[in-house]
Amino acid sequence: MTHSRYLGRRGCWVTAFNFAKLLYSLDPFGDPHGAAFWLDFLAVKSNNGEWLISMLEQASSSTAAMVWHGYPGMAYAQALALRADEDAKKHGDHSESDSALQEAIRKFPQVVVPLADKISANIPNAARGKKETQIEAGYT
């Protein structure tokens, strides 16, 4: 994935995305290079959100796609991709992307605090202190 990182730094988002897709397709179950961890970001960054949405919709027929529903980045990237699609259609209805974001927050609440901190949004201390919003780090 070093090559994808290099391509991204150079602004070649589509090429980085296609390279990550290639690496992922070589071994989607083992994913030794961690391409799935990049595909969510690169799909949105390269304006290939439709691909990400279609892959996530294939969860019932593809084990590799089903696994993606366990990644927080995929859930939040799906909401971003849906919002970009809605913005492109210029119809003003954001109910699908709002619903996807709400679902991402329900499934992965531990991501809310770091994301809010990144955009300098205020999160009440009561919410920050909840067990659900804490990130557990460590090894067992």
Side-chain angles (χ1 to χ4, degrees), residues 34-130:
F37 294 115
W38 281 87
L39 283 171
D40 55 351
F41 168 76
L42 292 172
V44 173
K45 191 71 176 171
S46 67
N47 296 320
N48 283 295
E50 294 169 3
W51 177 86
L52 178 72
I53 293 166
S54 70
M55 283 297 291
L56 288 167
E57 288 173 351
Q58 294 178 29
S60 61
S61 62
S62 168
T63 307
M66 182 180 61
V67 170
W68 284 12
H69 287 273
Y71 295 146
M74 293 294 179
Y76 286 90
Q78 179 183 21
L80 278 173
L82 288 168
R83 179 57 66 109
D85 186 49
E86 292 164 350
D87 287 344
K89 292 178 182 171
K90 297 184 182 187
H91 54 67
D93 178 25
H94 296 298
S95 58
E96 193 175 0
S97 63
D98 288 347
S99 176
L101 180 59
Q102 290 169 3
E103 181 64 24
I105 291 170
R106 267 192 295 281
K107 286 173 71 174
F108 305 104
Q110 66 273 21
V111 177
V112 172
V113 172
L115 283 178
D117 290 345
K118 204 65 156 157
I119 63 169
S120 301
N122 292 326
I123 299 280
N125 287 334
R128 285 182 183 275
K130 289 188 179 255

Side-chain angles (χ1 to χ4, degrees), residues 9-21:
R9 280 193 303 243
R10 306 291 278 169
C12 303
W13 298 113
V14 175
T15 306
F17 171 67
N18 287 323
F19 186 75
K21 277 191 338 186

